[in-house]
Amino acid sequence: MKIAPYNFTALHDEQYRREYLSRVEEILKNNSFIEGPYNESFEKEFANAHGVSHCLLVANGTDALEISLKVLGVQPGDLVGVPGITFYATAEAVLNIGAKPVLIDIDEATGLMCLNSLKEVHQNHPLKAIIPVHIYGLPVSMEGINSFCSSEKIAVIEDAAQAHGALYPYNKKPVGHGNNLTTFSFYPTKNLSAHGDAGCILTNDDELARKIIIERNHGRTDEQALGRNSRCDHMQAAALHLKLKNVDKYNQRRKELAKRYHQNLKELSISLIPDEYLELSSWHLYPVQLETSEKRVELAHFLKERGIGSMPFYEKSLQQEPPLAHFPGQYEKANAMAGKRLCLPLHPFLSDEEVDEVSAVVKEFLNL
Ligand SMILES: *Cc1c(COP(=O)(O)O)cnc(C)c1O
């Protein structure tokens, strides 16, 4: 049996294709290529689903981060805290606006930004902003981070590229609810996905929303500001709007499957995400952690021989990426975790039996 990490054929099934293609017909008939009615409907519904006043679609998740940094007033040379374990784009956005990343260490059990490390790093490297990342779909507990940052006047942008539908541990509200800017990516592999690139920013702040609208469309306004092109095209918005109605159902199925893995694997000599995240994560990915990175490579190979795909996220910490190696901060725990995690197949179209089979192969490997 072949088990792949994604199943786009099932995601874009007959019914979906029929509905999407009729939207494409309509868009071609109306010549409404950019920022059309589906952009507006999606923005309204996605904002409502998160209980915030604005959702602004942009061209991709990295632009969403860059634009957020810019509208918050982060200037070239400013210091921006990023967690040691994340997808590279989080730090790339900081570098692209000319600001300087500072590494914040992670919590060993989750891989999420650690509040104590944030406090220590800020003492020596005064931060203008931070970007906590809800990596793998695991929600960062924002309560402590928010209160520290508001007393220290540090701007907060939440990178929720992997966390559509994840719930904050302290109030069980969806990630993106609240007063921070929160960015999403709709890259094709994410929990909510376009057929190409797209992203968005959530905010409760009318003035920031106005600035984002100006920035994403060449700075066009009476003031003639300088912006960029980061519009989301209408075909992507039409897909996102159509897929929005299934995202909760699919996330629910991801959760069931994650619980099944957890049940199957919990007695084995392998580290899992702590139990309390079972109900809270969006389960974008299902990471397990091996004792060494050599073991992780061996397990990936063992799975592959049985036709099972897996993903080594994240093989390197940010500090181990050459363009970031010389930036300051704390990264001991991030470096210790890097390379040890392997993400097992997890998507809403896996069967219970497939999860059991992957689990059995992992068990066999560990008992060798
Ligand atoms: C996917 C991703 C991004 C970047 O999104 P793009 O749409 O590819 O630009 C940023 N941060 C994280 C954590 C991601 O997973």
Side-chain angles (χ1 to χ4, degrees):
M1 187 162 32
K2 266 212 167 319
I3 304 177
Y6 305 107
N7 186 345
F8 294 110
T9 312
L11 180 63
H12 303 141
D13 64 6
E14 272 298 310
Q15 190 193 342
Y16 174 81
R17 285 152 80 128
R18 224 177 12 247
E19 289 178 9
Y20 179 64
L21 290 174
S22 88
R23 290 184 176 204
V24 171
E25 287 282 357
E26 180 193 317
I27 290 168
L28 291 177
K29 204 168 78 199
N30 297 335
N31 302 324
S32 56
F33 306 122
I34 298 282
E35 299 193 339
Y38 289 119
N39 292 64
E40 265 176 51
S41 312
F42 176 83
E43 288 181 338
K44 201 163 153 231
E45 289 173 33
F46 202 68
N48 285 344
H50 291 85
V52 297
S53 33
H54 305 277
C55 165
L56 295 317
L57 278 166
V58 294
N60 57 67
T62 311
D63 275 10
L65 289 167
E66 280 185 40
I67 292 172
S68 296
L69 288 163
K70 189 170 168 191
V71 300
L72 285 168
V74 176
Q75 302 288 329
D78 283 344
L79 305 185
V80 179
V82 293
I85 294 283
T86 180
F87 178 56
Y88 186 70
T90 312
E92 194 184 24
V94 176
L95 290 169
N96 283 347
I97 67 150
K100 291 193 176 139
V102 177
L103 300 165
I104 314 286
D105 218 345
I106 52 154
D107 173 86
E108 286 163 303
T110 58
L112 300 170
M113 183 183 275
C114 166
L115 175 58
N116 284 335
S117 177
L118 167 63
K119 288 179 177 171
E120 285 173 23
V121 168
H122 181 62
Q123 282 180 354
N124 298 323
H125 307 283
L127 300 165
K128 174 83 186 195
I130 59 164
I131 311 180
V133 184
H134 306 286
I135 200 76
Y136 307 104
L138 300 174
V140 179
S141 197
M142 293 302 299
E143 197 174 32
I145 291 180
N146 284 340
S147 67
F148 176 70
C149 289
S150 91
S151 68
E152 294 292 317
K153 307 255 181 306
I154 302 169
V156 182
I157 299 164
E158 296 178 46
D159 182 344
Q162 305 188 0
H164 318 75
L167 304 173
Y168 292 119
Y170 61 104
N171 63 5
K172 310 289 186 283
K173 300 275 190 204
V175 160
H177 177 84
N179 290 323
N180 296 329
L181 290 183
T182 303
T183 65
F184 289 83
S185 164
F186 304 119
Y187 183 78
T189 59
K190 310 286 183 182
N191 288 31
L192 176 59
S193 63
H195 300 307
D197 279 313
C200 80
I201 305 169
L202 296 182
T203 179
N204 262 330
D205 187 309
D206 296 346
E207 181 54 19
L208 290 177
R210 193 184 70 88
K211 287 185 174 166
I212 294 164
I213 289 167
I214 294 169
E215 174 69 21
R216 75 180 172 185
N217 193 17
H218 298 298
R220 281 199 188 140
T221 102
D222 299 343
E223 303 148 38
Q224 292 286 311
L226 201 56
R228 72 182 74 202
N229 173 8
S230 188
R231 294 175 303 234
C232 172
D233 77 65
H234 199 197
M235 302 240 188
Q236 301 307 338
L240 290 169
H241 180 256
L242 192 53
K243 288 184 180 182
L244 194 53
K245 63 179 180 203
N246 283 327
V247 74
D248 288 347
K249 182 176 79 185
Y250 290 159
N251 279 342
Q252 193 55 36
R253 181 63 183 152
R254 284 175 185 270
K255 191 184 292 180
E256 277 170 30
L257 295 169
K259 285 182 181 169
R260 196 169 182 96
Y261 269 131
H262 204 79
Q263 195 62 31
N264 290 344
L265 301 175
K266 70 181 182 190
E267 306 299 340
L268 306 180
S269 59
I270 196 168
S271 300
L272 307 179
I273 298 302
D275 294 0
E276 62 263 34
Y277 286 89
L278 283 173
E279 291 294 337
L280 303 174
S281 179
S282 68
W283 293 110
H284 174 61
L285 295 163
Y286 189 86
V288 296
Q289 190 168 322
L290 286 296
E291 272 157 30
T292 62
S293 59
E294 290 75 25
K295 278 242 179 276
R296 186 266 306 168
V297 173
E298 287 171 27
L299 173 57
H301 187 72
F302 195 79
L303 288 163
K304 193 172 171 211
E305 285 186 332
R306 311 297 179 90
I308 299 167
S310 64
M311 295 170 298
F313 297 154
Y314 288 87
E315 275 182 287
K316 289 182 184 171
S317 76
L318 282 188
Q319 197 272 331
Q320 294 164 335
E321 298 279 3
L324 289 154
H326 60 285
F327 286 100
Q330 295 184 350
Y331 39 78
E332 198 181 322
K333 290 176 185 164
N335 286 8
M337 177 181 284
K340 293 182 185 164
R341 280 185 166 179
L342 189 70
C343 298
L344 303 179
L346 181 63
H347 62 70
F349 311 102
L350 278 182
S351 65
D352 291 354
E353 293 68 31
E354 286 173 313
V355 165
D356 292 348
E357 176 171 336
V358 177
S359 308
V361 176
V362 171
K363 191 169 182 178
E364 191 187 331
F365 171 81
L366 293 171
N367 289 337
L368 281 182

